[in-house]
Amino acid sequence: MTLVVVAGAWLVGILLDSYVLLPSFALLIGVAVMLVCVALLWYDSRSRLIALIMLFVVLGAWRYSGASLIGDPQAISAYIGAHAGVRGEVSDDPKLTSNSRLLSVSVNAISLDNGNTWRDAHGQITVLIHGTELDDPYGANYGSDVEIYGKVISPLPNSLPGIAASMFFPRVVVTGTGGNPIIGALYHLRAMLSNIIVQILPQQQAALLIALLLSEHIPALKPLIPAFNATGTAHLIAPSGFKVTVLAGIVSSNTTWLYRKKGEQEKLLPAQKRGGWRRWLSTMLIVISIAVYTLLSGAGPAAVRAGIMGVLLVIAPRIGRRYTIYTALAGTALLMSALDPFVLWDAGFQLSFLGTLGIVLLTPLFQRMLHPLERVPFSHYLIEPFAVTLAAQTATLPILALNFQVLSLVAPLTNMLTVPLLGTLIALGALICIAGCIWMPLAQLIGWIAQPLLWYLSHVVTWGANLPGAYISVGALDSRIAWGYYALLILLGWFALRRWLVLDQQRPAHDPLPRLSRRTWQRAQLGVAMLFIVATGTISLLPRSTTQVTITFLHVGPAGKQAQGEAILIRTPDDKTILIDGGLDATSLGQELDSWLPSWQRSLDAVLLTTPRQDHLNGLLDVVKRYSIGEVIDGGMLHPSTTYALWRRTISERSFRYLAATQGTDINIGMFVSLQVLWPVRPLHKGSDEARDNGLIIRVVTPGMRLLLLGASAQSRYALAGLLNDIAFPYLQADVVQIVEEAGTPGELNNVLQRAKPAVLLMTPTSVKQRKSGQQAQSSTSSLKDGVRWQAAQVIQTAQEGTVELSSDRSGWSMNTV
């Protein structure tokens, strides 16, 4: 227990120095004095232990003092409030949100004269910048050397420990690349694995599996995060030691064939556990798997803690040492805090460390409390997991309240219903990624197994969060409450241990329900998996019962906000699916597609981009990454933007067939839909508004209906004039005309509409950035209604009506709002 004692002394020293910062030189003298004391008292065991405790207290204080930036004139924190240029290297993978990126930058120089002269500086800062990968695909990433110009401010709220300052939406210039190539390759691998998952599963289920497997939060997960916080299950989607433990168990159980012969006994002597190159090979495979997975899951303190303990667990038998959880925890905490003393203030480390310690110490107490329930049939399947859940929740309760300002009252229930599935979902996620690297249809089959489990997990968490009194919002709490809580917990635990005997772990002789053997359990799991595959495959092969072509104008836009941009989904009786444009928000488009398409459908027959503006293109950039597409069609772009360049690069990387459509092109999609391209012409027009002037204008012809999609080009005088000059009257006639709703109406638009003679005019919204005031937009609608020819036409604004669906067959067409 010496390691446990000295590790505790080390941590106490760090905490004491964080409250009373002492000079490093004075502490170093104290270290030298205590080393002399240890040497003099070495042969007196009790005095030696006391001297070691004092030595490690002083060492811990000295380590914190050396890492602290307080009083350091070269620390970046000394420049808070100044407008400066900062040089450094991006030290972590950027954290993505719906419309911004958060960079972690290791600073090496600073300039106070706009980059003319530089001086040495150091420290870690966070930088919040506008835009996502869609806006700037060639922006700063891990390993990028950057120069940042803006105001240095105090660390952002909820910043990680060790962050000395922040910069809020500064100017960022990438000057080179660097970083650790191995870590860079692992970050690239994580992005590749995430991309495989989003191609296999519906959007929200893919986001959930990515968070479970890789601990990476993509924007599609955002609606679920409050529910996970409210139900005390946030550890499922965060880097956690349990995930590393699960992975180590999976690898260990699947490498026993390397050294265990058939029929060999399970329990071995210590000498047998040590030797043999086969056992060492299995051990190295487990260690490598733990290290790689720890980095793939973000290398957070919780994952690193579990990774170190996992490595100790598999290494100890090989070197003839016995593994104990207390020494492993103590050694891990000592090592991690020696490398970075600020890790003690990291919520992930606190939750992981205290959760593990709570499970070890408190589980027997809760099992003793639940002992009377063992008389109930089937109870032995529930008591131990429930006791473990209660122990972990009890040990981490104040940490959760301090960091999330939420006290969950349903955490034991929701954890009981969800945690047992974590190992299975991690295994399925790993299989999807491996299969996706080999053959995507195989990954699709495994995805069919994972879908019901992910659906269950998300619905249980949402249901738990919506229960009356599920949680209590506690606001900002004083950390002294947490210290008081743990003092009381230690006192109560000590009294309970003195009064109760530890629960006997042996199972009763007359067990009402024998446990299933491992082989029987594996066969049952395989049977359930095959049932999911057969059921999903059968449903996917059933033909559509409808005989109509449906054209759906999807309601896409950020959550809680008005629709922005347009997206049109066409489905035919011969199972063809076409998507025209994608709107501004990829998350809402993914949710709409998941609700209108079967969960197993991961392909589209055609995708059309009518104009390369962001309110049409952003959603499609996500679609071409997630779906397999038969053909991609757009009108091209004379001077490509970075977003359009990313669009074309993604199409090329995924080897999709691409067509730059031009006037006169006819495209038949199956037997029921014909797309007639009326605009643009070649060569493309040079001008100040090329996105509108060269946008696609398409006439969709289906049995019983003609739809004219003017889109954003309805605001282009050049495109409309060309349409009136080049296209014969019959080819402009349509039952329904769609335009993008913007302020102002070109006179040519009225002429086009008079020739089209539509019964319905659909006005889809543009983005907020490009939308004028509501009064101006309303004047645009009124101007179209003022003409005599428009008194009988119905004008519908999808931003107000929501999703609009057109249905047609040979007998005619109909329209309804959803």
Side-chain angles (χ1 to χ4, degrees):
M1 297 297 289
T2 303
L3 178 60
V4 176
V5 173
V6 298
W10 169 275
L11 299 180
V12 169
I14 292 177
L15 293 175
L16 288 176
D17 200 63
S18 68
Y19 287 101
V20 183
L21 188 63
L22 299 175
S24 296
F25 182 73
L27 291 170
L28 193 58
I29 295 175
V31 169
V33 171
M34 294 315 304
L35 281 173
V36 172
C37 293
V38 170
L40 294 175
L41 301 172
W42 186 257
Y43 294 103
D44 184 347
S45 59
R46 179 174 296 181
S47 300
R48 181 183 62 202
L49 180 60
I50 294 174
L52 282 173
I53 291 174
M54 297 178 66
L55 171 64
F56 275 83
V57 168
V58 179
L59 278 172
W62 174 73
R63 178 67 185 95
Y64 180 85
S65 178
S68 176
L69 299 178
I70 298 176
D72 186 347
Q74 292 186 336
I76 187 64
S77 56
Y79 297 93
I80 289 178
H83 290 269
V86 175
R87 275 182 181 168
E89 181 182 277
V90 180
S91 57
D92 197 2
D93 214 24
K95 303 298 185 290
L96 303 179
T97 64
S98 57
N99 55 9
S100 64
R101 283 193 290 181
L102 185 66
L103 306 178
S104 294
V105 179
S106 181
V107 176
N108 54 49
I110 190 169
S111 171
L112 299 178
D113 54 4
N114 201 30
N116 293 322
T117 59
W118 296 86
R119 64 184 72 176
D120 290 338
H122 58 85
Q124 197 79 9
I125 67 171
T126 54
V127 181
L128 189 65
I129 60 175
H130 277 299
T132 64
E133 185 185 10
L134 305 183
D135 305 309
D136 188 7
Y138 308 103
N141 283 295
Y142 169 76
S144 296
D145 296 322
V146 293
E147 290 184 4
I148 310 165
Y149 296 91
K151 185 177 181 180
V152 181
I153 62 174
S154 299
L156 295 172
N158 302 319
S159 293
L160 294 175
I163 299 299
S166 297
M167 300 183 77
F168 202 64
F169 298 124
R171 179 168 63 93
V172 179
V173 180
V174 178
T175 59
T177 57
N180 188 308
I182 297 177
I183 296 178
L186 288 173
Y187 281 144
H188 178 73
L189 176 61
R190 180 167 69 166
M192 185 186 74
L193 298 180
S194 299
N195 194 39
I196 289 173
I197 293 174
V198 300
Q199 292 178 45
I200 296 300
L201 297 170
Q203 185 191 59
Q204 194 169 73
Q205 292 183 1
L208 180 55
L209 184 58
I210 290 171
L212 293 172
L213 179 64
L214 302 174
S215 303
E216 181 181 6
H217 292 186
I218 63 176
L221 186 70
K222 188 176 180 180
L224 282 177
I225 291 177
F228 277 95
N229 292 338
T231 55
T233 52
H235 61 93
L236 296 178
I237 57 173
S240 71
F242 183 66
K243 296 179 183 179
V244 178
T245 305
V246 167
L247 177 78
I250 293 172
V251 177
S252 178
S253 62
N254 286 280
T255 55
T256 55
W257 60 272
L258 285 171
Y259 56 85
R260 182 175 295 162
K261 297 179 181 179
K262 188 175 182 180
E264 185 180 352
Q265 60 180 351
E266 293 275 338
K267 295 183 179 180
L268 302 175
L269 297 174
Q272 290 176 297
K273 293 181 179 180
R274 291 189 212 177
W277 67 269
R278 293 178 181 271
R279 288 186 178 275
W280 275 106
L281 177 60
S282 172
T283 300
M284 289 302 102
L285 287 175
I286 298 172
V287 170
I288 292 171
S289 300
I290 290 174
V292 171
Y293 184 71
T294 300
L295 291 172
L296 284 178
S297 59
V304 172
R305 191 276 309 162
I308 295 174
M309 293 185 66
V311 170
L312 293 176
L313 176 63
V314 297
I315 289 290
R318 300 294 175 264
I319 59 177
R321 301 301 297 264
R322 190 178 67 172
Y323 177 88
T324 62
I325 187 69
Y326 303 107
T327 54
L329 267 174
T332 302
L334 181 61
L335 177 61
M336 293 181 66
S337 57
L339 296 174
D340 179 13
F342 298 107
V343 75
L344 299 185
W345 286 266
D346 183 88
F349 175 81
Q350 294 171 355
L351 290 172
S352 179
F353 184 86
L354 292 173
T356 303
L357 192 61
I359 289 172
V360 175
L361 295 176
L362 301 180
T363 296
L365 298 179
F366 284 110
Q367 285 180 313
R368 184 68 181 85
M369 293 173 62
L370 298 171
H371 181 64
L373 298 178
E374 286 192 343
R375 300 175 182 178
V376 179
F378 304 100
S379 62
H380 62 275
Y381 285 105
L382 301 176
I383 287 178
E384 184 175 354
F386 191 57
V388 171
T389 301
L390 285 175
Q393 292 295 318
T394 302
T396 58
L397 186 64
I399 306 301
L400 292 169
L402 283 170
N403 288 279
F404 299 108
Q405 285 79 51
V406 170
L407 186 61
S408 177
L409 303 181
V410 296
L413 175 62
T414 51
N415 277 275
M416 277 285 296
L417 296 175
T418 57
V419 170
L421 287 177
L422 183 58
T424 302
L425 286 170
I426 288 176
L428 289 173
L431 288 174
I432 287 174
C433 293
I434 295 170
C437 294
I438 302 171
W439 191 43
M440 288 298 288
L442 178 59
Q444 185 78 58
L445 290 178
I446 303 172
W448 290 352
I449 303 172
Q451 280 187 32
L453 302 180
L454 292 167
W455 178 90
Y456 165 83
L457 181 63
S458 63
H459 279 71
V460 165
V461 171
T462 305
W463 167 78
N466 291 329
L467 287 175
Y471 61 93
I472 300 173
S473 297
V474 295
L477 293 178
D478 193 327
S479 60
R480 289 175 292 185
I481 296 177
W483 287 109
Y485 173 90
Y486 285 116
L488 181 62
L489 183 62
I490 292 171
L491 184 63
L492 291 176
W494 182 73
F495 276 113
L497 284 173
R498 285 177 59 88
R499 183 168 181 176
W500 291 340
L501 295 175
V502 177
L503 183 65
D504 186 10
Q505 299 297 323
Q506 295 183 353
R507 193 160 48 91
H510 301 286
D511 197 337
L513 186 64
R515 297 181 185 273
L516 297 176
S517 67
R518 182 178 179 182
R519 179 172 295 182
T520 304
W521 179 240
Q522 288 176 341
R523 289 176 177 175
Q525 288 177 315
L526 181 61
V528 172
M530 293 303 298
L531 179 62
F532 286 159
I533 291 176
V534 171
T536 307
T538 302
I539 294 172
S540 66
L541 293 175
L542 292 176
R544 290 184 63 191
S545 58
T546 182
T547 59
Q548 293 183 319
V549 174
T550 59
I551 304 176
T552 309
F553 292 81
L554 303 176
H555 188 81
V556 291
K561 297 182 179 179
Q562 203 172 20
Q564 298 180 30
E566 64 178 30
I568 305 168
L569 180 66
I570 303 176
R571 292 164 293 158
T572 69
D574 55 348
D575 290 327
K576 300 297 181 183
T577 310
I578 308 159
L579 179 64
I580 303 176
D581 294 327
L584 183 67
D585 184 62
T587 301
S588 62
L589 175 64
Q591 292 172 348
E592 287 288 311
L593 291 178
D594 290 342
S595 64
W596 287 96
L597 298 177
S599 61
W600 48 262
Q601 183 172 343
R602 312 307 307 157
S603 63
L604 299 170
D605 295 281
V607 168
L608 283 78
L609 173 66
T610 61
T611 177
R613 301 195 319 176
Q614 286 196 340
D615 56 353
H616 290 61
L617 177 55
N618 275 13
L620 288 188
L621 275 168
D622 180 64
V623 168
V624 295
K625 293 179 181 178
R626 296 177 54 226
Y627 286 83
S628 175
I629 300 170
E631 187 172 25
V632 180
I633 304 164
D634 68 19
M637 193 172 187
L638 200 60
H639 299 96
S641 62
T642 55
T643 310
Y644 184 77
L646 178 60
W647 158 259
R648 291 293 299 272
R649 188 183 75 184
T650 306
I651 294 169
S652 176
E653 289 175 348
R654 300 209 60 196
S655 302
F656 294 149
R657 187 170 59 185
Y658 171 76
L659 172 65
T662 186
Q663 188 181 75
T665 304
D666 285 339
I667 306 168
N668 294 318
I669 309 293
M671 300 170 55
F672 295 88
V673 173
S674 176
L675 305 177
Q676 300 173 353
V677 181
L678 308 183
W679 195 260
V681 295
R682 289 292 187 268
L684 296 178
H685 178 251
K686 295 181 181 179
S688 60
D689 197 359
E690 295 176 2
R692 289 190 179 95
D693 293 345
N694 299 317
L696 282 180
I697 296 178
I698 300 170
R699 188 171 182 252
V700 182
V701 180
T702 69
M705 186 179 66
R706 298 158 301 172
L707 169 65
L708 180 61
L709 301 177
L710 293 177
S713 294
Q715 304 299 321
S716 169
R717 295 181 181 275
Y718 173 79
L720 295 175
L723 204 64
L724 292 170
N725 292 331
D726 297 348
I727 305 301
F729 285 12
Y731 289 99
L732 289 177
Q733 292 180 354
D735 301 293
V736 179
V737 172
Q738 174 267 337
I739 66 172
V740 170
E741 177 185 1
E742 294 188 47
T745 303
E748 291 82 356
L749 178 58
N750 276 300
N751 296 333
V752 171
L753 293 175
Q754 288 173 9
R755 295 187 183 184
K757 300 179 180 178
V760 174
L761 175 65
L762 280 174
M763 304 180 72
T764 54
T766 186
S767 67
V768 170
K769 292 181 180 179
Q770 294 161 329
R771 186 184 302 159
K772 303 296 184 181
S773 68
Q775 184 177 0
Q776 291 174 309
Q778 185 64 35
S779 67
S780 173
T781 307
S782 302
S783 65
L784 293 174
K785 292 182 178 180
D786 287 342
V788 175
R789 295 176 182 269
W790 288 100
Q791 295 302 321
Q794 183 179 4
V795 179
I796 294 179
Q797 295 171 281
T798 59
Q800 299 176 4
E801 298 292 337
T803 300
V804 176
E805 185 176 71
L806 304 174
S807 303
S808 71
D809 55 23
R810 299 188 184 279
S811 61
W813 64 279
S814 61
M815 179 181 66
N816 61 80
T817 57
V818 181

